């Protein structure tokens, strides 16, 4: 005790007050942090009753003829070359029939029986697939829409239009997530023939993959899935194509591994802050 | 009443100078607890200055954050596997038949204002919690701060680590999404793999064959009450012992086994640590606000027949997952006794890894024969053998941790998964001894160059009479 008393003096007082400056700084830091968090995605998801994600009408039953791929709703001038009635049919015959057959029965490209939704066909036509060319510069938005509607309404099998995204999700988790993961972000397979991130392709590519089978991936059409089920899976693939992530950055949708890595970053940050807080401040002490 | 006068002076100083706004508080304390010698002393409790002593505080504050956010989550979570039809805003699950538990987590995440934010704070701080505990223990190990008189406190810490990890596992299992169900299935087969008692134990714990109904209702009270209460109790004891024994401190001018140099609790340390609490809360909240964690709506509901890649546990269980993945399947049948392959990596290995953790202080005593009191921490470079052992042990667990995510790493790095696993299997055996030997040689070389001589304690009391020093001096001039 005598030690304690003996060493009381002005020096320690100064040390203590010197340390008070840091909490003040800290407060400023925290306030700005709070502000940032208030503006963050997770908070936004919470403050709006409907999180930013596909609305039911978009996912389950797209109204026939309204391809969601159309970037702008402004009506495009109808091209003069296809002024004939039934332009969708004409355009299909000119651009697609060579590969998919006159009535979409399949030839170089797979059959279009499960392509019952214009919202699935549209992006496929615009972006193309692995062996299918994209028509981005070739066809106008209106033409793409006309073809998509035609394929979905006239060529695809009627039961394909009864597909439902929720049933597709169940099938996806049963048949696909074992290789592609439940988030669709892909997974490792023996021999480097990995199951890829399905978001790298337009959703209709899933139809092709299910029909054709790819590499290590078996074919699902016919033996495993009927047409309606194929379309359901594709609708689910479409729903998670731009994964609904109201909670902020998705960090690859790779599950707890990437979350653990980010948690490590948080811990490292806290340790840095501890070093800062414990950094000696007293320079003026004799 | 000189004692009274003393108290007033120390309170006055503790709560700032004359015109401090805290003066009324000081007066209140004085009039109500006046004359209390204990209070006077404890307000001046000295905390040594080092960032290393904040590591445990991260864990403490994460626990507080977890309790606070957990209370909020408990307002919405429903621990039931009864089926229900989803009719919330998440379109890809519209009309799906899911469990009430999963439904309530979806509601909490996508409907309840701030629900997702709070859920994500809860999860991020859980990840940080265990990390902080481990770093805190590593610090204690490498500075040999677990020695007498802190042996009991080390033991409490080791128990805390286990309880916290278990509770994290239970929390992960509650939402009844695809990943949590997959985790529970593995936990079930681990329990089942124990010879003789395994299947009876699994039936008892899980309430029947997996997937048993009512499992979530079983886990829930354990997760929100039983284990948190145990953790809070042990944490209290841990901190109480810490308070009595004080921190160890690094050697330096004026510091000895008998004197502590540092910052007094009131006001400076109290403010600093309060600020640090807010920072921990702030960082966890910031991560929760900007980085999504455990998007259960994407994973989908758990159905026993579904499987997914990238099905990992939270990171602190990753070493077990890695051990299971790397271990060749030693399925043994001796007469009527069947030992499934799971037994070796998931029961024997954790036993081998965790037992030394519990007996470490006594192991140290057996090896070094050093049973004296130590209040000065060693620098990691002061004891080559200890540093080497710690480094080897940490390396071993780190390799297991990486192996726990081997499918994800193989995918992201675009390497062959079986080959990566083989490399990791070899690394598990080769790397720890290599790292240990290298550490040993490095530390010895460093010692020989005399770099560590400057850090050696000046005052090395050969023997402490009884309990740790109660006296604390602070503010050795020139420090």
């Amino acid at each position: 005790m005598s030690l304690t008393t003996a060493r009381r003096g002005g020096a320690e007082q100064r040390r203590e007050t010197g340390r008070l400056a840091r909490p003040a700084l800290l407060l400023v830091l925290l306030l700005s942090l709070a502000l940032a968090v208030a503006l963050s995605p997770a908070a936004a998801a919470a403050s709006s009753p409907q999180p930013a994600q596909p609305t039911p009408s978009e996912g389950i039953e797209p109204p026939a003829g309204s391809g969601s791929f159309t970037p702008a709703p402004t009506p495009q001038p109808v091209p003069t070359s296809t002024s004939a009635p039934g332009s969708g049919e004409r355009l299909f015959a000119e651009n697609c029939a060579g590969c998919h057959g006159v009535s979409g029965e399949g030839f170089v490209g797979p059959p279009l029986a499960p392509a019952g939704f214009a919202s699935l066909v549209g992006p496929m036509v615009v972006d193309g697939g692995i062996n299918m060319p994209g028509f981005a510069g070739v066809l106008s938005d209106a033409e793409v829409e006309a073809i998509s509607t035609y394929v979905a309404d006239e060529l695809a099998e009627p039961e394909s239009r009864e597909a439902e995204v929720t049933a597709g999700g169940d099938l996806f988790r049963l048949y696909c997530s074992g290789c592609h993961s439940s988030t669709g972000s892909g997974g490792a397979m023996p021999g480097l023939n990995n199951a890829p991130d399905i978001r790298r392709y337009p959703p209709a590519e899933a139809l092709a993959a299910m029909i054709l089978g790819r590499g290590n991936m078996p074919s699902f059409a016919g033996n495993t899935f009927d047409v309606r089920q194929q379309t359901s899976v594709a609708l689910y693939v479409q729903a998670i194509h731009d994964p609904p992530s109201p909670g902020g950055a998705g960090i690859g949708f790779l599950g707890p591994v990437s979350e653990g890595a980010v948690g490590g970053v948080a811990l490292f940050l806290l340790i840095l802050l501890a070093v800062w807080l414990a950094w000696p401040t007293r320079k003026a002490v004799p | 009443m000189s004692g009274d006068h003393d108290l007033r002076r120390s309170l006055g100083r503790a709560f700032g100078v004359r015109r401090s706004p805290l003066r009324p508080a000081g007066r209140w304390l004085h009039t109500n607890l006046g004359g209390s010698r204990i209070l006077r002393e404890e307000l001046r409790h000295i905390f040594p200055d080092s960032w290393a002593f904040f590591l445990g505080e991260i864990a403490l504050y994460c626990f507080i954050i977890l309790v606070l956010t957990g209370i909020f989550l408990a307002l919405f979570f429903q621990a039931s596997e009864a089926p229900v039809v989803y009719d919330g805003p998440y379109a890809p699950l519209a009309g799906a038949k899911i469990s009430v538990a999963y439904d309530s987590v979806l509601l909490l995440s996508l409907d309840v204002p701030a629900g997702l934010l709070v859920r994500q704070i809860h999860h991020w701080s859980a990840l940080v919690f265990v990390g902080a505990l481990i770093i805190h223990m590593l610090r204690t190990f490498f500075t040999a701060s677990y020695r007498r008189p802190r042996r009991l406190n080390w033991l409490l810490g080791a128990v805390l680590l286990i309880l916290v990890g278990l509770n994290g596992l239970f929390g992960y299992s509650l939402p009844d999404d695809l990943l949590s169900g997959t985790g529970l299935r593995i936990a079930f087969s681990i329990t089942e793999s124990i010879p003789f008692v395994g299947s009876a134990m699994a039936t008892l714990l899980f309430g029947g064959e997996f997937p048993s109904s009512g499992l979530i209702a079983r886990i829930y009270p354990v997760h929100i009450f039983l284990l948190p209460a145990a953790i809070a109790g042990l944490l209290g004891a841990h901190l109480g012992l810490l308070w009595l024994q004080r921190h160890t401190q690094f050697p330096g001018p004026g510091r000895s086994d008998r004197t502590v140099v540092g910052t007094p609790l009131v006001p400076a340390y109290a403010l600093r640590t309060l600020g640090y609490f807010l920072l921990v809360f702030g960082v966890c909240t910031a991560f929760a606000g900007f980085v999504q964690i455990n998007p259960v709506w994407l994973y989908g509901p758990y159905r026993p027949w579904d499987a997914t890649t990238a099905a990992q546990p939270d990171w602190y269980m990753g070493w077990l997952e890695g051990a299971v993945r790397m271990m060749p399947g030693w399925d043994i049948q001796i007469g009527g006794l069947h030992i499934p392959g799971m037994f070796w990596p998931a029961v024997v290995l954790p036993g081998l890894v965790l037992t030394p953790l519990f007996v470490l202080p006594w192991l140290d005593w057996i090896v070094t024969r050093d049973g004296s009191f130590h209040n000065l921490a060693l620098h990691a470079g002061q004891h080559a053998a200890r540093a080497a052992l710690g480094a080897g042990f940490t390396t071993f667990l780190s390799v297991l941790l990486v192996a726990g995510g081997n499918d994800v790493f193989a995918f992201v790095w675009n390497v062959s998964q079986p080959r990566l696993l083989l490399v990791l299997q070899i690394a598990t055996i080769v790397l720890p001894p290599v790292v240990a030997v290298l550490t040993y040689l490095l530390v010895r070389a460093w010692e020989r160059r005399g770099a560590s001589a400057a850090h050696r304690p000046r005052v090395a009391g050969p023997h402490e009479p009884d309990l740790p020093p109660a006296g604390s001096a602070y503010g050795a001039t020139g420090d």
Side-chain angles (χ1 to χ4, degrees):
Chain A
M1 292 317 100
S2 59
L3 258 177
T4 325
T5 332
R7 287 193 182 161
R8 277 182 196 150
E12 304 93 56
Q13 269 321 115
R14 219 172 306 149
R15 266 172 56 192
E16 289 171 20
T17 42
R19 281 170 193 287
L20 294 187
R22 225 169 289 181
L25 235 164
L26 220 142
L27 207 70
V28 175
L29 202 133
L30 277 170
L31 280 179
S32 40
L33 212 69
L35 200 74
V37 168
L39 302 172
S40 70
S47 54
S48 67
Q50 290 266 340
Q53 54 185 251
T55 50
S57 64
E58 209 175 293
I60 302 175
E61 33 163 20
S66 75
S68 64
F69 57 90
T70 319
T74 40
Q76 297 281 322
V78 180
T80 44
S81 61
T82 58
S83 53
S87 59
E89 185 175 2
R90 168 83 71 88
L91 284 166
F92 183 83
E94 286 168 5
N95 294 292
C96 325
C99 286
H100 287 284
V102 198
S103 51
E105 72 277 8
F107 178 49
V108 178
L112 298 178
F117 289 84
S119 61
L120 283 175
V121 183
M124 190 72 195
V125 174
V126 173
D127 297 333
I130 295 170
N131 294 316
M132 170 171 156
F135 289 80
V138 183
L139 296 174
S140 71
D141 288 352
E143 286 168 329
V144 170
E145 188 173 332
I147 295 182
S148 311
T149 314
Y150 172 72
V151 170
D153 291 355
E154 308 293 335
L155 299 184
E157 281 183 23
E159 55 262 46
S160 135
R161 286 189 284 277
E162 291 160 17
E164 280 181 346
V165 66
T166 306
D170 286 342
L171 292 171
F172 187 85
R173 282 184 292 275
L174 182 56
Y175 288 101
C176 319
S177 61
C179 294
H180 289 280
S181 113
S182 56
T183 60
S185 54
M189 306 256 319
L192 272 185
N193 191 342
N194 287 346
D197 183 345
I198 54 171
R199 290 186 283 273
R200 296 213 315 255
Y201 306 92
E205 181 66 39
L207 291 174
M210 279 184 280
I211 294 171
L212 301 171
R214 299 275 201 191
N216 282 353
M217 174 175 164
S219 162
F220 288 88
N223 46 0
T224 314
F225 292 162
D226 60 26
V227 167
R228 180 181 159 176
Q229 287 171 318
Q230 293 167 39
T231 316
S232 296
V233 171
L235 285 180
Y236 186 72
V237 168
Q238 184 184 35
I240 61 171
H241 197 257
D242 200 6
S245 35
I251 43 175
F253 301 97
L254 290 168
V257 173
S258 49
E259 289 164 4
V262 174
V265 174
L267 182 58
F268 183 68
L269 213 78
L270 283 171
I271 294 174
L272 284 186
L273 287 167
V275 173
W276 173 61
L277 269 186
W279 202 263
T281 44
R282 46 208 129 95
K283 295 175 201 117
V285 178
Chain B
M1 296 286 281
S2 73
D4 239 30
H5 183 66
D6 250 21
L7 178 68
R8 195 175 308 166
R9 267 182 41 192
S10 64
L11 279 177
R13 198 175 47 232
F15 284 90
V17 276
R18 289 263 158 78
R19 297 273 160 255
S20 154
L22 286 173
R23 227 172 115 76
R27 195 169 326 119
W28 187 90
L29 280 175
H30 170 62
T31 45
N32 289 280
L33 303 164
S36 158
R37 204 182 155 73
I38 298 174
L39 180 72
R40 182 170 71 231
E41 231 137 64
E42 294 314 324
L43 284 177
R44 312 289 301 161
H45 192 99
I46 301 293
F47 289 82
D49 297 323
S50 168
W51 62 271
F53 302 126
F54 278 102
L55 299 173
E57 279 181 32
I58 303 179
L60 170 66
Y61 295 143
C62 281
F63 179 66
I64 294 174
I65 295 166
L66 281 162
V67 171
L68 292 179
T69 50
I71 290 170
F72 180 89
L73 300 183
L75 299 177
F76 300 95
F77 181 72
Q78 286 176 289
S80 159
E81 284 139 2
V84 64
V85 173
Y86 180 69
D87 63 350
Y90 183 60
L93 282 176
K97 253 183 108 181
I98 57 179
S99 70
V100 168
Y102 185 59
D103 187 51
S104 69
V105 177
L106 290 179
L107 178 100
L108 173 68
S109 307
L110 304 175
D111 282 306
V112 174
L116 183 59
L117 185 67
V118 176
R119 218 193 106 217
Q120 297 199 137
I121 297 176
H122 195 74
H123 206 140
W124 279 121
S125 50
L127 295 196
V128 173
F129 190 3
V130 190
L133 279 181
I134 290 172
I135 301 267
H136 172 59
M137 288 182 90
L138 285 175
R139 193 279 296 170
T140 310
F141 175 82
F142 283 113
T143 59
S145 302
Y146 54 81
R147 294 176 300 174
R148 230 172 154 197
R150 295 178 180 77
R151 300 197 286 202
L152 179 61
N153 230 13
W154 168 272
L155 186 64
L156 287 179
V159 177
L160 273 169
L161 177 71
I162 309 285
L163 295 188
V164 169
L166 265 183
N167 213 31
L169 177 73
F170 288 147
Y172 176 93
S173 308
L174 284 178
D176 203 21
D177 62 300
L178 184 50
L179 287 194
S180 62
T182 308
L184 279 177
R185 182 215 294 273
I186 296 176
F188 181 82
S189 46
I190 290 176
T191 317
E192 219 185 9
S193 76
I194 303 171
F196 303 114
V197 292
S199 56
M201 234 170 99
T203 310
L204 180 69
L205 291 178
F206 288 75
E209 268 299 309
F210 187 83
S212 54
S213 64
L215 185 52
I216 287 175
R218 268 168 184 249
I219 296 173
Y220 189 47
V222 178
H223 177 73
I224 67 161
F225 177 70
L226 223 62
L227 281 176
I231 291 169
L234 288 176
L235 195 60
H238 191 74
L239 294 179
L241 274 179
L242 168 79
W243 191 276
L244 290 178
Q245 299 173 338
R246 290 160 204 283
H247 280 88
T248 49
Q249 57 181 341
F250 291 109
R255 304 167 187 199
S256 75
D257 271 330
R258 300 186 56 88
T259 44
V260 187
V261 176
T263 311
L265 174 64
V266 176
Y269 195 81
L271 274 177
R272 199 196 308 171
T273 193
L274 182 71
Y276 197 55
F277 167 65
L278 294 175
L279 273 180
V280 176
F281 212 151
V283 167
C284 287
T285 310
F287 274 76
F290 291 104
V291 191
Q292 182 165 278
I293 187 164
N294 204 19
V296 288
W297 54 92
L298 274 179
Y299 297 151
Y302 178 64
R303 312 257 163 81
W305 47 84
D306 288 346
T308 174
T309 55
Q312 264 83 18
D314 272 341
W315 75 269
Y316 44 85
M317 291 286 166
W319 61 284
L320 270 178
E321 174 81 18
V324 171
R325 287 179 184 211
M326 283 198 292
M327 188 74 192
W330 284 355
D331 216 90
I332 295 176
Q333 184 87 42
I334 314 165
L337 176 65
H338 175 228
I339 304 178
M342 191 69 117
F343 179 65
W344 309 109
V347 180
V348 174
L349 179 92
L352 289 179
V353 165
L354 296 177
T355 311
L357 220 59
F358 287 94
V359 297
L360 171 73
W362 293 274
L363 273 184
D364 186 289
W365 176 74
I366 289 172
V367 174
T368 63
R369 286 280 146 201
D370 179 0
S372 53
F373 283 88
H374 297 279
N375 287 321
L376 284 179
L378 290 177
H379 277 281
Q382 278 177 314
H383 200 288
R386 185 180 290 114
L389 272 178
F393 189 76
T394 314
T395 308
F396 176 67
L397 288 183
S398 305
V399 177
L400 292 192
L401 178 62
V402 172
N406 79 319
D407 62 332
V408 173
F409 291 119
F411 178 69
V412 172
W413 297 335
N414 202 29
V415 293
S416 151
Q417 188 185 0
R419 199 162 303 162
L420 179 64
L421 198 68
L422 182 69
V423 170
L424 287 169
Q425 279 168 328
I426 295 171
T428 316
I429 297 164
V430 174
L431 218 51
V434 169
V435 170
V437 169
L438 277 182
T439 310
Y440 188 84
L441 294 178
L442 272 175
V443 173
R444 288 308 295 272
W446 190 50
E447 269 179 342
R448 259 199 307 278
R449 284 195 21 223
S452 64
H455 295 297
R456 272 194 213 288
R458 301 233 184 107
V459 196
H463 255 293
E464 287 306 323
D466 41 43
L467 274 175
S472 56
Y474 81 104
T477 38
D479 176 50

